[in-house]
Amino acid sequence: MKRTPGPWTIVLAILLIVTLSPTDQQMLMWDVGLMPLGRTRQHRNPRRNRERWARRLGAWRRRRPLAPKRKRRMKRPVRPRVIWAHHRQTPAHFRAVSKRRAPQKVPASPQRMATEDPLADLRQGRGLIDLIEERTLWAMLRRIVWPNGPVCPHCGEKELDYLKEINPDYRGGLGRWQCRVCAEAGDPGQGGTFTPLTGTVLAGMRIDVRTVWLIAASFAQGQASVETAKEAQVNRHTTDRLFRLCRAALYEGRSTEPLTLRVEDIVEMDEVYITAGLKGHAGGLELEREPRTRGLKRRGRGTWESDRLPVFGLICRGGEVRLFVLRNVQTETIRPIVEQMVQRGAHVYTDGYCIYHFLSRQGYQHQSVNHGGGEYALDLDGDGQCEVHCNTVECTWSWLRQMVRTYRGVSKVYLPLYVAQFEFLYNRRHQNHWNRTLDVLQMLCRVEATRAAELLRQVETAEFAEVCPVAG
């Protein structure tokens, strides 16, 4: 196969011929004109530099994804002259400016220091509760739990000869006792030891005693959980849990005694309808309806199915009130409640609703006013005072609506708990705030030990709805 010489072979052959050929004149190997010109410093042109930076900025913006209209309206446009200003500086200055530096604190001027709040350290606290010693608060809580002295929660022993305080400094003053009866019987627990909170819904709590008093005081005042969490400086879930326990304890400790014990007593009865539907998965119930965009605007009487729960109320003039959340308002539903709460022969005043017609047949002195006909009060004895009316219980409904409105919507599963809270606070409306707080803590610690564990489990799960069954 014939091989063709390559270009480098031909170049090398020419060089050898030229080099070895005899000549009297020296031949130049490279022309000076073929040498490249030296690189010269170009003149600085600020105008063309600005145009180049503007083109680069425009190309960078075109490559970015399009932002929503709202962000485009709110976003301040970036001006190229800011970048040009940095470009005029030296590279070292540009790198120094581009670094993110921590803001330096400017020393306050003497005039500004003079105008600062002198009570800034006091405003960081939570109020007078921070000035009370923990031992004092534990001693008051211990008196609420044990008004007649220490009691063993395991065996119920009350004799001081068998109860001994073994650690008075436990948890800063709560104290720890030991029951000799339980210890000698071989208690499988902690050797018969207990605290004042053992067997209550407050057992095992991890918050300090000051926070407990603050949350109880806010609950007695009717505040919301979010507002209470801000004042107590704790997480909202902490106040939510303690508020649920308080409402469940109030519901469990409601009075079942008759509202009237004398024939001369006057009782007013009425019903109100509270808009309360299902919220999320409250009580483990599924939400089987479309969301309401403007709320429920139904009028008239309601039931559980229509998300307008009826609340039946009985109030004794000059006495207490009893409220019951029902599935519907019918004669068969309210008859057991009336027979249990009202003494036969007492005066009962209602409106003209037909469900109250059985009262006269059951032996009650029943009188009614016809609201549909514009009749709201009657004077039967002619003394100038209209004693037949149900305005007292109707005034209670305005207070109930205002209390429910504080929580910005209540699920109908938990509405009986909120109604029980309102009933508790309404019956103590003539007491001061301190006495209502003591009653809340007393009801919270009065729940039986056997019921406390079950109540805690139901509060932490979706079975909380079982605490407040709706009658009917």
Side-chain angles (χ1 to χ4, degrees), residues 14 16 36 39 41 74 167 202 291 400 412 448 454 460:
I14 295 173
L16 290 174
R39 296 182 60 87
R41 181 184 177 90
M74 297 175 59
N167 187 5
L202 296 179
L400 176 61
K412 64 181 180 181
E448 297 180 0
E454 182 68 16
E460 298 296 338

Side-chain angles (χ1 to χ4, degrees), residues 25 79 114 118 126 144 238 247 322 330 384 421 456 463:
Q25 186 179 1
R79 299 182 179 179
R126 300 180 294 182
I144 294 175
T238 302
R247 294 190 184 100
R322 299 285 189 271
Q330 298 178 0
Q421 176 186 356
L456 284 171
E463 298 180 6

Side-chain angles (χ1 to χ4, degrees), residues 159-413:
E159 293 293 335
L160 298 180
D161 298 337
Y162 298 96
L163 303 178
K164 179 183 178 181
E165 188 176 9
I166 58 177
N167 187 5
D169 299 330
Y170 178 71
R171 291 194 63 177
L174 175 61
R176 194 170 188 85
W177 278 258
Q178 184 181 24
C179 177
R180 290 174 52 189
V181 177
C182 296
E184 294 177 359
D187 179 38
Q190 299 180 1
T193 61
F194 59 91
T195 66
L197 302 181
T198 302
T200 66
V201 294
L202 296 179
M205 65 176 183
R206 301 178 181 179
I207 54 179
D208 58 299
V209 64
R210 291 191 177 95
T211 305
V212 174
W213 280 91
L214 271 176
I215 295 177
S218 300
F219 180 83
Q221 198 172 359
Q223 294 183 356
S225 176
V226 178
E227 183 180 359
T228 303
K230 293 180 181 179
E231 292 186 2
Q233 298 179 5
V234 295
N235 194 286
R236 176 190 171 180
H237 299 289
T238 302
T239 56
D240 282 341
R241 180 177 181 274
L242 201 54
F243 272 28
R244 293 194 198 102
L245 290 174
C246 289
R247 294 190 184 100
L250 296 182
Y251 189 88
E252 291 286 328
R254 289 184 308 166
S255 176
T256 57
E257 298 179 356
L259 192 61
T260 59
L261 299 176
R262 300 177 301 175
V263 181
E264 297 80 9
D265 294 336
I266 299 177
V267 179
E268 299 180 12
M269 300 181 187
D270 196 18
E271 72 285 341
V272 70
Y273 302 91
I274 303 296
T275 301
L278 290 178
K279 296 182 61 179
H281 298 278
L285 301 178
E286 294 293 337
L287 187 62
E288 299 178 354
R289 61 163 176 80
E290 296 295 331
R292 295 191 293 263
T293 57
R294 298 291 296 175
L296 186 62
K297 301 298 183 181
R298 295 178 181 174
R299 297 180 61 86
R301 310 191 188 279
T303 59
W304 170 277
E305 290 75 14
S306 63
D307 291 347
R308 282 177 54 83
L309 270 69
V311 179
F312 179 62
L314 304 90
I315 187 171
C316 180
R317 290 186 183 177
E320 296 183 348
V321 66
R322 299 285 189 271
L323 303 178
F324 302 89
V325 180
L326 307 177
R327 184 175 292 272
N328 52 54
V329 181
Q330 298 178 0
T331 302
E332 294 77 9
T333 308
I334 68 172
R335 186 196 298 270
I337 300 175
V338 175
E339 292 177 353
Q340 180 183 359
M341 292 295 169
V342 183
Q343 180 73 21
R344 290 184 183 274
H347 296 271
V348 179
Y349 299 152
T350 65
D351 54 14
Y353 194 16
C354 62
I355 63 173
Y356 303 115
H357 291 174
F358 76 97
L359 294 174
S360 299
R361 298 190 300 268
Q362 296 294 329
Y364 298 99
Q365 302 183 39
H366 178 221
Q367 298 290 337
S368 61
V369 290
N370 186 11
H371 289 172
E375 186 180 60
Y376 297 95
L378 293 177
D379 183 13
L380 299 180
D381 52 7
D383 59 352
Q385 296 183 358
C386 299
E387 63 275 356
V388 180
H389 62 80
C390 51
N391 296 334
T392 309
V393 65
E394 288 180 352
C395 180
T396 307
W397 301 142
S398 61
W399 288 31
L400 176 61
R401 288 192 179 97
Q402 181 180 359
M403 179 262 189
V404 174
R405 194 180 299 116
T406 303
Y407 302 100
R408 296 299 186 272
V410 178
S411 175
K412 64 181 180 181
V413 178

